[in-house]
Amino acid sequence: MNDFSVKQCPDGKYRWIYEVNLFSNPTVMIDVIKVMSISVVITWAFVQLIILFADGFDLESFKTISFVFLIMIAVFAVLTIISYLIYAAIMGGRYIVMFEMDEYGIVHKQMPRQMKKAQAIGVLGALAGLATGNLGAAGAGVLAASRSSMVSSFQSVKRLIGNRRFNRIKVNATFNKNRVYVEDDAFMWVYEFIRSRCPNAKAKLK
């Protein structure tokens, strides 16, 4: 693994940095739109159920409410895209994330917005034991400064979907949907590592 972007650290965990281009890689935006659309659909179903139990089924009412919610979905989709583009611009067009992986699971850690990829890779080198002293301390500091994280236990994973085109692996559990990004050089290695340790998952590779 020494020649790969994935590095094994002294604690036995594998770590790597990935920079998602928020403009050329649409996967983040698609996920956001899906979440918003699902929320609207759930609200539509809830409203329809309330009307059904209160007044019984009425076809015209059903059609009218459905039409209103279809318009809402379209409006929310447009607003979501605009909001996403503003967010991407604020982030400088990039989303830098560090991944930690061992035999039992994987952690997705968002790096601070002001950090550049070169700095993050330097920290990764320190964590992998490639440097000592202040860089090692910097590595620990970055791990502590990561703004948010998501943890996936391999035992809980139900669906594993690899997409080589966008360098993304969906690691989905019942209440946890993680997104793992990997450089081309290590994509298949990481995909197979995760797949072989998820006994309850249905795996698919695109």
Side-chain angles (χ1 to χ4, degrees), residues 79-125:
L79 291 177
T80 299
I81 292 172
I82 293 172
S83 300
Y84 173 84
L85 293 175
I86 294 173
Y87 162 78
I90 292 173
M91 294 291 289
R94 57 193 173 84
Y95 174 79
I96 299 177
V97 58
M98 175 183 286
F99 295 96
E100 291 182 357
M101 182 175 69
D102 59 18
E103 296 289 329
Y104 307 103
I106 189 164
V107 183
H108 175 138
K109 293 190 175 186
Q110 180 181 352
M111 294 291 97
R113 182 167 63 89
Q114 69 275 15
M115 174 169 282
K116 297 184 182 297
K117 185 179 181 182
Q119 291 175 305
I121 291 175
V123 169
L124 180 61

Side-chain angles (χ1 to χ4, degrees), residues 27-40:
T27 54
V28 177
M29 181 174 66
I30 291 171
D31 281 343
V32 173
I33 291 175
K34 283 182 178 179
V35 170
M36 294 298 296
S37 299
I38 289 171
S39 299
V40 174

